[in-house]
Amino acid sequence: MISLIGFSGLFFSFLLSILIFVIYFFQNKKYSEKILYYAIYSSFVCILISFFSLMFAYINSDFTNYNVFQNSHSSKPLLYKIAGTWSNHEGSMLLWLVIMIFYNFLFSFNKTLDNNLKKLTIFFQTLLYLCFSSYVLFASNPFLVNSIEMNEGLGLNPILQDPALAIHPPMLYFGYVGFSLILSLAIAGLILDKINTKWILVTKNWTLFCWSMLTGGIALGSYWAYYELGWGGWWFWDPVENVSLMPWIAGLALVHSLMLTQKEQLLKRWIVFLSILCFSLSIFGTFLVRSGILTSVHSFASDSSRGIFILILFLVITSFSFIVFIFKSTDSNKNLNLLFLNKTSTLVINNILMIVACITILLGTIYPIIIEVISNNRISVGAPYYNSTVLPILLPGFLLMSVAPALSWQTNKLPKLKSYLFSFILMSIITLLVSYFTFFNTWGFIGIFLSLSIIGASLISFYNNYNNYGLKKFIIYNNALIAHIGVGIMIMGITCSSVFQSESNLSFSINETKEVNGYIYKLEETKIYNKKNYQELVGVFKIYKNNKIITKVKPSKRYYNVSKMITTEVGIYRHWFQDFYIILGSENDNKWSVKIYQNPLVNFIWFGVVLMIISGLIGIRKK
Amino acid sequence: MNKLILSLPIILIFIISIFLLIFLLQNKDPNVPPSALLDKKIPPVNLVDLFNDNKLINLSNLKNKEILINFFASWCAPCKVEHPLLFQIKKQNPNLYILGINHKDKKHDAINYLNQDGNPYDFVGVDKKGLIGLEFGVFGLPETFLINKSGKIIYKYLGPLTKKVITNEIQHLL
């Protein structure tokens, strides 16, 4: 029954979108505008009904629904029953539709753009929605009914049963799918030839919002990988991470070039290109993940017919967009005011670097596929490739970032040059001294230097820009600096947690103590707990420093009865400046093998990301 | 010239898509690692009959027959889903010897399961401790192997069989 309601909701929203599509061509008729908007609202309501009925089926453990049967179990906690709605292929595609129409719904309240442009944007957004909803209807229906009676479901993969992962997909989708609106805006703007200041302002706001959400989504995923996978790191250059990083970088480039255009009315063609690129990369990523072409932690049930469907969608949408781009895009005849060191030139360099980085990642991600098609050999491209190609590309960009916001648009001069120079010299001396007294490492040196100079220069710019217009205005106008400080803090975290990480493999018997880097670790006892859907074996560790107890850490192993899977739960003690990260291994002759990591400054990464998101959201207020 | 540069992204997209399409059509699934046993002889294990403890067969003695080995258990829901399809295979290929291996299951449950849903197997062997599954490198249930007349493993499928898999892959090999 509930499946029927859900399916009807999906189907009606599809029909209503066709109505929006048709009514666009009868614009001059009386009432047509009203009908258009009401169709958007009701289509949104229909898809919400559909989505919530799937959620209801999950909460109720309604195993007559095939999707629920495949991905849920009655003993799951409520939160994961709710999150179960989108932690599988079909459900997540339904969420995709909800968000896609949600953006259309929100955009229909826009009052800045002129009416024609607004309607054409809605038209294209609806067209995109029709493409994806036909995919859901015909190839990935979440409302299929089970052919046999089932009393119990197959259960959700235990490593996905985690609070961070419950909100990771919706947040990520707000970014990923939101780029569809940017694409619609770009194509509508191109066709009506209305890429003007208003268009740029609107696009900037939506891009900032989507980009901030995408940042949050990626960070949540990476945070989850850090404490759930138990590999000691937080970024693994997994194909799925890469495909989310590519639209993120493109979005970042877009945000920056939109700023350039706002001030000087330039680079129109480039921003339209980036607007199209963002959503193209989103669909491309979706294709790579959903077709089962890549092996990764996100292996959805693979089905090549689905893959072909998404590939066709990708081809149709991107080639249509780029064809419009080829024939309609015009560049303004003003030349760029490129000087040796002014805001325009640094922004252009930063855009080039980002796109090169994006292409490098793309190449690494699809290279194995191309090689396998040509030579039938299976190869893998891993972290060493990305670390040695992407990082060096980004370095000059980071260096420029420290001064770019302070540069002028028109001249080569940097106001108050001396203070910046002084801070650079000071930072390099500090970094040199620090690395002399600890131990020298090239990457460590570069990373700490970059991070300190970005933070230092941004703080100086903050100080220089200070005026008496009031705090709120001051923050809105300097929000780029906040983001850059966030990046600086993040680079610090990334550098320290990767370069200065310590890893030790030890074995403990009960009550045995061992010393790692001046800290004493003691395995006090092991306990077994019976929880609702798993059994847990916990090792209780105490950490001492100078004979004083600092904390207790409880790494564990869980056995999930339903899926018969064992997962390793990392025990982490988060200290301000370092994480103590303990993984419980196997037991042999009453000795437990234990892996201990000390990860310095990991918290800085999350803190930096939060600053970036906040700054992105503040930027929406900037006119 | 200008138009050519502008067309670069679309050209690139087409080239990439062609590679992806070829890859998709080859129907490779990276999640299923190629079995180390493919093209090897079947492991020479002894199987005890589920219905009769005194009846034994040795796999390496089953020569000159095409065999389909299907690992299953009564507690495995996907096995229940694929179960009717085994009858279909049997109907289409009367000469195929279908061997069921009951993996980590209770004898009583297994017999009940086959009584309820029917028994498509020519022989059902017991693998109570999962040791035979270990010999075959079984990842999860159900798992299906195809053995040719000279006793070599020529095909392996992980997960419940579907009509598509049977018509597109298994029937081609028989």
Side-chain angles (χ1 to χ4, degrees), chain A residues 256 346 350 395-406 453-454 457-458 481 483-488 491:
Chain A
H256 282 89
T346 45
N350 125 319
L395 283 185
F398 287 138
L399 198 62
L400 280 179
M401 212 172 94
S402 51
V403 286
S453 45
I454 291 171
S458 306
L481 293 175
H484 287 191
I485 290 177
V487 175
I491 294 176

mmCIF file with all atom_site columns, all heavy atoms in Angstrom, chain A residues 256 346 350 395-406 453-454 457-458 481 483-488 491:
data_model
loop_
_atom_site.group_PDB
_atom_site.id
_atom_site.type_symbol
_atom_site.label_atom_id
_atom_site.label_alt_id
_atom_site.label_comp_id
_atom_site.label_asym_id
_atom_site.label_entity_id
_atom_site.label_seq_id
_atom_site.pdbx_PDB_ins_code
_atom_site.Cartn_x
_atom_site.Cartn_y
_atom_site.Cartn_z
_atom_site.occupancy
_atom_site.B_iso_or_equiv
_atom_site.pdbx_formal_charge
_atom_site.auth_seq_id
_atom_site.auth_comp_id
_atom_site.auth_asym_id
_atom_site.auth_atom_id
_atom_site.pdbx_PDB_model_num
ATOM 1   N N   . HIS A 1 256 ? 35.433 31.682 -7.588  1.00 0.00 ? 256 HIS A N   1
ATOM 2   C CA  . HIS A 1 256 ? 36.473 32.706 -7.715  1.00 0.00 ? 256 HIS A CA  1
ATOM 3   C C   . HIS A 1 256 ? 36.303 33.520 -8.986  1.00 0.00 ? 256 HIS A C   1
ATOM 4   O O   . HIS A 1 256 ? 36.489 34.728 -8.974  1.00 0.00 ? 256 HIS A O   1
ATOM 5   C CB  . HIS A 1 256 ? 37.858 32.063 -7.656  1.00 0.00 ? 256 HIS A CB  1
ATOM 6   C CG  . HIS A 1 256 ? 38.269 31.707 -6.262  1.00 0.00 ? 256 HIS A CG  1
ATOM 7   N ND1 . HIS A 1 256 ? 37.990 30.498 -5.685  1.00 0.00 ? 256 HIS A ND1 1
ATOM 8   C CD2 . HIS A 1 256 ? 38.909 32.414 -5.312  1.00 0.00 ? 256 HIS A CD2 1
ATOM 9   C CE1 . HIS A 1 256 ? 38.451 30.469 -4.455  1.00 0.00 ? 256 HIS A CE1 1
ATOM 10  N NE2 . HIS A 1 256 ? 39.017 31.626 -4.194  1.00 0.00 ? 256 HIS A NE2 1
ATOM 11  N N   . THR A 1 346 ? 46.195 37.025 -10.444 1.00 0.00 ? 346 THR A N   1
ATOM 12  C CA  . THR A 1 346 ? 46.255 35.906 -9.500  1.00 0.00 ? 346 THR A CA  1
ATOM 13  C C   . THR A 1 346 ? 45.009 35.030 -9.613  1.00 0.00 ? 346 THR A C   1
ATOM 14  O O   . THR A 1 346 ? 45.098 33.807 -9.530  1.00 0.00 ? 346 THR A O   1
ATOM 15  C CB  . THR A 1 346 ? 46.389 36.386 -8.039  1.00 0.00 ? 346 THR A CB  1
ATOM 16  O OG1 . THR A 1 346 ? 45.463 37.439 -7.831  1.00 0.00 ? 346 THR A OG1 1
ATOM 17  C CG2 . THR A 1 346 ? 47.781 36.849 -7.729  1.00 0.00 ? 346 THR A CG2 1
ATOM 18  N N   . ASN A 1 350 ? 45.039 31.156 -10.505 1.00 0.00 ? 350 ASN A N   1
ATOM 19  C CA  . ASN A 1 350 ? 44.394 30.207 -9.591  1.00 0.00 ? 350 ASN A CA  1
ATOM 20  C C   . ASN A 1 350 ? 43.367 29.348 -10.337 1.00 0.00 ? 350 ASN A C   1
ATOM 21  O O   . ASN A 1 350 ? 43.300 28.138 -10.141 1.00 0.00 ? 350 ASN A O   1
ATOM 22  C CB  . ASN A 1 350 ? 43.856 30.981 -8.383  1.00 0.00 ? 350 ASN A CB  1
ATOM 23  C CG  . ASN A 1 350 ? 42.392 30.795 -8.093  1.00 0.00 ? 350 ASN A CG  1
ATOM 24  O OD1 . ASN A 1 350 ? 41.556 30.752 -8.992  1.00 0.00 ? 350 ASN A OD1 1
ATOM 25  N ND2 . ASN A 1 350 ? 42.075 30.701 -6.822  1.00 0.00 ? 350 ASN A ND2 1
ATOM 26  N N   . LEU A 1 395 ? 50.470 23.874 -5.063  1.00 0.00 ? 395 LEU A N   1
ATOM 27  C CA  . LEU A 1 395 ? 51.364 24.681 -4.204  1.00 0.00 ? 395 LEU A CA  1
ATOM 28  C C   . LEU A 1 395 ? 51.428 26.160 -4.584  1.00 0.00 ? 395 LEU A C   1
ATOM 29  O O   . LEU A 1 395 ? 51.217 27.020 -3.727  1.00 0.00 ? 395 LEU A O   1
ATOM 30  C CB  . LEU A 1 395 ? 52.777 24.074 -4.185  1.00 0.00 ? 395 LEU A CB  1
ATOM 31  C CG  . LEU A 1 395 ? 52.940 22.842 -3.303  1.00 0.00 ? 395 LEU A CG  1
ATOM 32  C CD1 . LEU A 1 395 ? 54.388 22.418 -3.277  1.00 0.00 ? 395 LEU A CD1 1
ATOM 33  C CD2 . LEU A 1 395 ? 52.447 23.127 -1.903  1.00 0.00 ? 395 LEU A CD2 1
ATOM 34  N N   . PRO A 1 396 ? 51.737 26.495 -5.879  1.00 0.00 ? 396 PRO A N   1
ATOM 35  C CA  . PRO A 1 396 ? 51.810 27.929 -6.202  1.00 0.00 ? 396 PRO A CA  1
ATOM 36  C C   . PRO A 1 396 ? 50.498 28.642 -5.922  1.00 0.00 ? 396 PRO A C   1
ATOM 37  O O   . PRO A 1 396 ? 50.492 29.814 -5.505  1.00 0.00 ? 396 PRO A O   1
ATOM 38  C CB  . PRO A 1 396 ? 52.133 27.955 -7.689  1.00 0.00 ? 396 PRO A CB  1
ATOM 39  C CG  . PRO A 1 396 ? 52.076 26.569 -8.177  1.00 0.00 ? 396 PRO A CG  1
ATOM 40  C CD  . PRO A 1 396 ? 52.057 25.651 -7.024  1.00 0.00 ? 396 PRO A CD  1
ATOM 41  N N   . GLY A 1 397 ? 49.391 27.923 -6.106  1.00 0.00 ? 397 GLY A N   1
ATOM 42  C CA  . GLY A 1 397 ? 48.085 28.511 -5.818  1.00 0.00 ? 397 GLY A CA  1
ATOM 43  C C   . GLY A 1 397 ? 47.965 28.891 -4.351  1.00 0.00 ? 397 GLY A C   1
ATOM 44  O O   . GLY A 1 397 ? 47.506 29.978 -4.007  1.00 0.00 ? 397 GLY A O   1
ATOM 45  N N   . PHE A 1 398 ? 48.434 27.987 -3.472  1.00 0.00 ? 398 PHE A N   1
ATOM 46  C CA  . PHE A 1 398 ? 48.379 28.279 -2.043  1.00 0.00 ? 398 PHE A CA  1
ATOM 47  C C   . PHE A 1 398 ? 49.228 29.496 -1.705  1.00 0.00 ? 398 PHE A C   1
ATOM 48  O O   . PHE A 1 398 ? 48.868 30.312 -0.860  1.00 0.00 ? 398 PHE A O   1
ATOM 49  C CB  . PHE A 1 398 ? 48.872 27.071 -1.225  1.00 0.00 ? 398 PHE A CB  1
ATOM 50  C CG  . PHE A 1 398 ? 47.895 25.932 -1.212  1.00 0.00 ? 398 PHE A CG  1
ATOM 51  C CD1 . PHE A 1 398 ? 48.329 24.622 -1.342  1.00 0.00 ? 398 PHE A CD1 1
ATOM 52  C CD2 . PHE A 1 398 ? 46.544 26.163 -1.062  1.00 0.00 ? 398 PHE A CD2 1
ATOM 53  C CE1 . PHE A 1 398 ? 47.434 23.570 -1.323  1.00 0.00 ? 398 PHE A CE1 1
ATOM 54  C CE2 . PHE A 1 398 ? 45.636 25.114 -1.047  1.00 0.00 ? 398 PHE A CE2 1
ATOM 55  C CZ  . PHE A 1 398 ? 46.087 23.816 -1.180  1.00 0.00 ? 398 PHE A CZ  1
ATOM 56  N N   . LEU A 1 399 ? 50.373 29.591 -2.379  1.00 0.00 ? 399 LEU A N   1
ATOM 57  C CA  . LEU A 1 399 ? 51.266 30.701 -2.102  1.00 0.00 ? 399 LEU A CA  1
ATOM 58  C C   . LEU A 1 399 ? 50.600 32.024 -2.492  1.00 0.00 ? 399 LEU A C   1
ATOM 59  O O   . LEU A 1 399 ? 50.627 32.996 -1.739  1.00 0.00 ? 399 LEU A O   1
ATOM 60  C CB  . LEU A 1 399 ? 52.580 30.515 -2.877  1.00 0.00 ? 399 LEU A CB  1
ATOM 61  C CG  . LEU A 1 399 ? 53.742 31.352 -2.372  1.00 0.00 ? 399 LEU A CG  1
ATOM 62  C CD1 . LEU A 1 399 ? 54.071 30.973 -0.940  1.00 0.00 ? 399 LEU A CD1 1
ATOM 63  C CD2 . LEU A 1 399 ? 54.958 31.146 -3.253  1.00 0.00 ? 399 LEU A CD2 1
ATOM 64  N N   . LEU A 1 400 ? 49.959 32.015 -3.661  1.00 0.00 ? 400 LEU A N   1
ATOM 65  C CA  . LEU A 1 400 ? 49.291 33.233 -4.131  1.00 0.00 ? 400 LEU A CA  1
ATOM 66  C C   . LEU A 1 400 ? 48.130 33.605 -3.224  1.00 0.00 ? 400 LEU A C   1
ATOM 67  O O   . LEU A 1 400 ? 47.813 34.772 -3.029  1.00 0.00 ? 400 LEU A O   1
ATOM 68  C CB  . LEU A 1 400 ? 48.746 33.026 -5.545  1.00 0.00 ? 400 LEU A CB  1
ATOM 69  C CG  . LEU A 1 400 ? 49.756 33.162 -6.672  1.00 0.00 ? 400 LEU A CG  1
ATOM 70  C CD1 . LEU A 1 400 ? 49.069 32.897 -8.001  1.00 0.00 ? 400 LEU A CD1 1
ATOM 71  C CD2 . LEU A 1 400 ? 50.353 34.566 -6.661  1.00 0.00 ? 400 LEU A CD2 1
ATOM 72  N N   . MET A 1 401 ? 47.502 32.550 -2.674  1.00 0.00 ? 401 MET A N   1
ATOM 73  C CA  . MET A 1 401 ? 46.317 32.754 -1.883  1.00 0.00 ? 401 MET A CA  1
ATOM 74  C C   . MET A 1 401 ? 46.573 33.672 -0.701  1.00 0.00 ? 401 MET A C   1
ATOM 75  O O   . MET A 1 401 ? 45.679 34.402 -0.270  1.00 0.00 ? 401 MET A O   1
ATOM 76  C CB  . MET A 1 401 ? 45.900 31.403 -1.358  1.00 0.00 ? 401 MET A CB  1
ATOM 77  C CG  . MET A 1 401 ? 44.459 31.212 -1.172  1.00 0.00 ? 401 MET A CG  1
ATOM 78  S SD  . MET A 1 401 ? 44.262 29.501 -0.780  1.00 0.00 ? 401 MET A SD  1
ATOM 79  C CE  . MET A 1 401 ? 44.278 29.628 0.949   1.00 0.00 ? 401 MET A CE  1
ATOM 80  N N   . SER A 1 402 ? 47.808 33.603 -0.184  1.00 0.00 ? 402 SER A N   1
ATOM 81  C CA  . SER A 1 402 ? 48.064 34.372 1.027   1.00 0.00 ? 402 SER A CA  1
ATOM 82  C C   . SER A 1 402 ? 47.959 35.875 0.771   1.00 0.00 ? 402 SER A C   1
ATOM 83  O O   . SER A 1 402 ? 47.524 36.612 1.633   1.00 0.00 ? 402 SER A O   1
ATOM 84  C CB  . SER A 1 402 ? 49.433 34.006 1.590   1.00 0.00 ? 402 SER A CB  1
ATOM 85  O OG  . SER A 1 402 ? 50.390 34.110 0.585   1.00 0.00 ? 402 SER A OG  1
ATOM 86  N N   . VAL A 1 403 ? 48.358 36.335 -0.425  1.00 0.00 ? 403 VAL A N   1
ATOM 87  C CA  . VAL A 1 403 ? 48.298 37.774 -0.647  1.00 0.00 ? 403 VAL A CA  1
ATOM 88  C C   . VAL A 1 403 ? 47.153 38.216 -1.539  1.00 0.00 ? 403 VAL A C   1
ATOM 89  O O   . VAL A 1 403 ? 46.777 39.381 -1.520  1.00 0.00 ? 403 VAL A O   1
ATOM 90  C CB  . VAL A 1 403 ? 49.617 38.310 -1.264  1.00 0.00 ? 403 VAL A CB  1
ATOM 91  C CG1 . VAL A 1 403 ? 50.702 38.334 -0.217  1.00 0.00 ? 403 VAL A CG1 1
ATOM 92  C CG2 . VAL A 1 403 ? 50.022 37.509 -2.469  1.00 0.00 ? 403 VAL A CG2 1
ATOM 93  N N   . ALA A 1 404 ? 46.588 37.262 -2.314  1.00 0.00 ? 404 ALA A N   1
ATOM 94  C CA  . ALA A 1 404 ? 45.628 37.655 -3.348  1.00 0.00 ? 404 ALA A CA  1
ATOM 95  C C   . ALA A 1 404 ? 44.521 38.594 -2.866  1.00 0.00 ? 404 ALA A C   1
ATOM 96  O O   . ALA A 1 404 ? 44.254 39.593 -3.514  1.00 0.00 ? 404 ALA A O   1
ATOM 97  C CB  . ALA A 1 404 ? 45.041 36.423 -4.008  1.00 0.00 ? 404 ALA A CB  1
ATOM 98  N N   . PRO A 1 405 ? 43.855 38.305 -1.713  1.00 0.00 ? 405 PRO A N   1
ATOM 99  C CA  . PRO A 1 405 ? 42.748 39.188 -1.342  1.00 0.00 ? 405 PRO A CA  1
ATOM 100 C C   . PRO A 1 405 ? 43.192 40.623 -1.087  1.00 0.00 ? 405 PRO A C   1
ATOM 101 O O   . PRO A 1 405 ? 42.383 41.547 -1.158  1.00 0.00 ? 405 PRO A O   1
ATOM 102 C CB  . PRO A 1 405 ? 42.219 38.560 -0.038  1.00 0.00 ? 405 PRO A CB  1
ATOM 103 C CG  . PRO A 1 405 ? 42.709 37.169 -0.063  1.00 0.00 ? 405 PRO A CG  1
ATOM 104 C CD  . PRO A 1 405 ? 44.008 37.189 -0.770  1.00 0.00 ? 405 PRO A CD  1
ATOM 105 N N   . ALA A 1 406 ? 44.479 40.819 -0.796  1.00 0.00 ? 406 ALA A N   1
ATOM 106 C CA  . ALA A 1 406 ? 44.931 42.167 -0.481  1.00 0.00 ? 406 ALA A CA  1
ATOM 107 C C   . ALA A 1 406 ? 45.372 42.930 -1.719  1.00 0.00 ? 406 ALA A C   1
ATOM 108 O O   . ALA A 1 406 ? 45.592 44.139 -1.668  1.00 0.00 ? 406 ALA A O   1
ATOM 109 C CB  . ALA A 1 406 ? 46.085 42.095 0.517   1.00 0.00 ? 406 ALA A CB  1
ATOM 110 N N   . SER A 1 453 ? 51.991 31.334 6.377   1.00 0.00 ? 453 SER A N   1
ATOM 111 C CA  . SER A 1 453 ? 51.973 32.589 5.630   1.00 0.00 ? 453 SER A CA  1
ATOM 112 C C   . SER A 1 453 ? 50.563 32.940 5.182   1.00 0.00 ? 453 SER A C   1
ATOM 113 O O   . SER A 1 453 ? 50.208 34.117 5.142   1.00 0.00 ? 453 SER A O   1
ATOM 114 C CB  . SER A 1 453 ? 52.944 32.566 4.451   1.00 0.00 ? 453 SER A CB  1
ATOM 115 O OG  . SER A 1 453 ? 52.837 31.376 3.764   1.00 0.00 ? 453 SER A OG  1
ATOM 116 N N   . ILE A 1 454 ? 49.743 31.903 4.863   1.00 0.00 ? 454 ILE A N   1
ATOM 117 C CA  . ILE A 1 454 ? 48.357 32.219 4.498   1.00 0.00 ? 454 ILE A CA  1
ATOM 118 C C   . ILE A 1 454 ? 47.631 32.846 5.693   1.00 0.00 ? 454 ILE A C   1
ATOM 119 O O   . ILE A 1 454 ? 46.997 33.896 5.580   1.00 0.00 ? 454 ILE A O   1
ATOM 120 C CB  . ILE A 1 454 ? 47.600 30.953 4.039   1.00 0.00 ? 454 ILE A CB  1
ATOM 121 C CG1 . ILE A 1 454 ? 48.153 30.473 2.702   1.00 0.00 ? 454 ILE A CG1 1
ATOM 122 C CG2 . ILE A 1 454 ? 46.113 31.245 3.897   1.00 0.00 ? 454 ILE A CG2 1
ATOM 123 C CD1 . ILE A 1 454 ? 47.621 29.138 2.272   1.00 0.00 ? 454 ILE A CD1 1
ATOM 124 N N   . ALA A 1 457 ? 49.233 36.398 6.507   1.00 0.00 ? 457 ALA A N   1
ATOM 125 C CA  . ALA A 1 457 ? 48.886 37.459 5.558   1.00 0.00 ? 457 ALA A CA  1
ATOM 126 C C   . ALA A 1 457 ? 47.415 37.808 5.638   1.00 0.00 ? 457 ALA A C   1
ATOM 127 O O   . ALA A 1 457 ? 47.037 38.978 5.529   1.00 0.00 ? 457 ALA A O   1
ATOM 128 C CB  . ALA A 1 457 ? 49.253 37.021 4.143   1.00 0.00 ? 457 ALA A CB  1
ATOM 129 N N   . SER A 1 458 ? 46.564 36.774 5.865   1.00 0.00 ? 458 SER A N   1
ATOM 130 C CA  . SER A 1 458 ? 45.128 37.065 5.948   1.00 0.00 ? 458 SER A CA  1
ATOM 131 C C   . SER A 1 458 ? 44.830 37.913 7.182   1.00 0.00 ? 458 SER A C   1
ATOM 132 O O   . SER A 1 458 ? 43.995 38.820 7.127   1.00 0.00 ? 458 SER A O   1
ATOM 133 C CB  . SER A 1 458 ? 44.320 35.770 6.015   1.00 0.00 ? 458 SER A CB  1
ATOM 134 O OG  . SER A 1 458 ? 44.654 34.941 4.951   1.00 0.00 ? 458 SER A OG  1
ATOM 135 N N   . LEU A 1 481 ? 38.681 36.311 3.384   1.00 0.00 ? 481 LEU A N   1
ATOM 136 C CA  . LEU A 1 481 ? 39.819 36.120 4.293   1.00 0.00 ? 481 LEU A CA  1
ATOM 137 C C   . LEU A 1 481 ? 39.530 34.995 5.280   1.00 0.00 ? 481 LEU A C   1
ATOM 138 O O   . LEU A 1 481 ? 40.417 34.211 5.616   1.00 0.00 ? 481 LEU A O   1
ATOM 139 C CB  . LEU A 1 481 ? 40.110 37.414 5.050   1.00 0.00 ? 481 LEU A CB  1
ATOM 140 C CG  . LEU A 1 481 ? 40.630 38.558 4.172   1.00 0.00 ? 481 LEU A CG  1
ATOM 141 C CD1 . LEU A 1 481 ? 40.767 39.822 4.989   1.00 0.00 ? 481 LEU A CD1 1
ATOM 142 C CD2 . LEU A 1 481 ? 41.964 38.175 3.559   1.00 0.00 ? 481 LEU A CD2 1
ATOM 143 N N   . ALA A 1 483 ? 37.677 32.391 4.761   1.00 0.00 ? 483 ALA A N   1
ATOM 144 C CA  . ALA A 1 483 ? 37.858 31.131 4.050   1.00 0.00 ? 483 ALA A CA  1
ATOM 145 C C   . ALA A 1 483 ? 39.340 30.813 3.918   1.00 0.00 ? 483 ALA A C   1
ATOM 146 O O   . ALA A 1 483 ? 39.770 29.678 4.114   1.00 0.00 ? 483 ALA A O   1
ATOM 147 C CB  . ALA A 1 483 ? 37.215 31.196 2.678   1.00 0.00 ? 483 ALA A CB  1
ATOM 148 N N   . HIS A 1 484 ? 40.137 31.838 3.615   1.00 0.00 ? 484 HIS A N   1
ATOM 149 C CA  . HIS A 1 484 ? 41.561 31.581 3.417   1.00 0.00 ? 484 HIS A CA  1
ATOM 150 C C   . HIS A 1 484 ? 42.252 31.184 4.714   1.00 0.00 ? 484 HIS A C   1
ATOM 151 O O   . HIS A 1 484 ? 43.126 30.331 4.717   1.00 0.00 ? 484 HIS A O   1
ATOM 152 C CB  . HIS A 1 484 ? 42.230 32.804 2.779   1.00 0.00 ? 484 HIS A CB  1
ATOM 153 C CG  . HIS A 1 484 ? 41.873 32.957 1.331   1.00 0.00 ? 484 HIS A CG  1
ATOM 154 N ND1 . HIS A 1 484 ? 42.490 33.829 0.494   1.00 0.00 ? 484 HIS A ND1 1
ATOM 155 C CD2 . HIS A 1 484 ? 40.955 32.325 0.573   1.00 0.00 ? 484 HIS A CD2 1
ATOM 156 C CE1 . HIS A 1 484 ? 41.960 33.745 -0.721  1.00 0.00 ? 484 HIS A CE1 1
ATOM 157 N NE2 . HIS A 1 484 ? 41.016 32.825 -0.694  1.00 0.00 ? 484 HIS A NE2 1
ATOM 158 N N   . ILE A 1 485 ? 41.824 31.802 5.807   1.00 0.00 ? 485 ILE A N   1
ATOM 159 C CA  . ILE A 1 485 ? 42.378 31.366 7.099   1.00 0.00 ? 485 ILE A CA  1
ATOM 160 C C   . ILE A 1 485 ? 41.991 29.905 7.328   1.00 0.00 ? 485 ILE A C   1
ATOM 161 O O   . ILE A 1 485 ? 42.807 29.093 7.773   1.00 0.00 ? 485 ILE A O   1
ATOM 162 C CB  . ILE A 1 485 ? 41.860 32.258 8.247   1.00 0.00 ? 485 ILE A CB  1
ATOM 163 C CG1 . ILE A 1 485 ? 42.477 33.654 8.123   1.00 0.00 ? 485 ILE A CG1 1
ATOM 164 C CG2 . ILE A 1 485 ? 42.212 31.653 9.593   1.00 0.00 ? 485 ILE A CG2 1
ATOM 165 C CD1 . ILE A 1 485 ? 41.985 34.645 9.154   1.00 0.00 ? 485 ILE A CD1 1
ATOM 166 N N   . GLY A 1 486 ? 40.746 29.565 6.980   1.00 0.00 ? 486 GLY A N   1
ATOM 167 C CA  . GLY A 1 486 ? 40.297 28.170 7.094   1.00 0.00 ? 486 GLY A CA  1
ATOM 168 C C   . GLY A 1 486 ? 41.201 27.247 6.311   1.00 0.00 ? 486 GLY A C   1
ATOM 169 O O   . GLY A 1 486 ? 41.620 26.199 6.803   1.00 0.00 ? 486 GLY A O   1
ATOM 170 N N   . VAL A 1 487 ? 41.527 27.644 5.064   1.00 0.00 ? 487 VAL A N   1
ATOM 171 C CA  . VAL A 1 487 ? 42.414 26.810 4.244   1.00 0.00 ? 487 VAL A CA  1
ATOM 172 C C   . VAL A 1 487 ? 43.781 26.694 4.907   1.00 0.00 ? 487 VAL A C   1
ATOM 173 O O   . VAL A 1 487 ? 44.369 25.611 4.968   1.00 0.00 ? 487 VAL A O   1
ATOM 174 C CB  . VAL A 1 487 ? 42.561 27.401 2.822   1.00 0.00 ? 487 VAL A CB  1
ATOM 175 C CG1 . VAL A 1 487 ? 43.566 26.602 2.024   1.00 0.00 ? 487 VAL A CG1 1
ATOM 176 C CG2 . VAL A 1 487 ? 41.229 27.413 2.119   1.00 0.00 ? 487 VAL A CG2 1
ATOM 177 N N   . GLY A 1 488 ? 44.274 27.814 5.435   1.00 0.00 ? 488 GLY A N   1
ATOM 178 C CA  . GLY A 1 488 ? 45.577 27.796 6.107   1.00 0.00 ? 488 GLY A CA  1
ATOM 179 C C   . GLY A 1 488 ? 45.574 26.804 7.259   1.00 0.00 ? 488 GLY A C   1
ATOM 180 O O   . GLY A 1 488 ? 46.485 25.973 7.400   1.00 0.00 ? 488 GLY A O   1
ATOM 181 N N   . ILE A 1 491 ? 45.528 23.283 5.910   1.00 0.00 ? 491 ILE A N   1
ATOM 182 C CA  . ILE A 1 491 ? 46.827 22.832 5.404   1.00 0.00 ? 491 ILE A CA  1
ATOM 183 C C   . ILE A 1 491 ? 47.722 22.430 6.571   1.00 0.00 ? 491 ILE A C   1
ATOM 184 O O   . ILE A 1 491 ? 48.421 21.415 6.526   1.00 0.00 ? 491 ILE A O   1
ATOM 185 C CB  . ILE A 1 491 ? 47.513 23.938 4.578   1.00 0.00 ? 491 ILE A CB  1
ATOM 186 C CG1 . ILE A 1 491 ? 46.704 24.214 3.316   1.00 0.00 ? 491 ILE A CG1 1
ATOM 187 C CG2 . ILE A 1 491 ? 48.933 23.538 4.203   1.00 0.00 ? 491 ILE A CG2 1
ATOM 188 C CD1 . ILE A 1 491 ? 47.248 25.347 2.500   1.00 0.00 ? 491 ILE A CD1 1
#
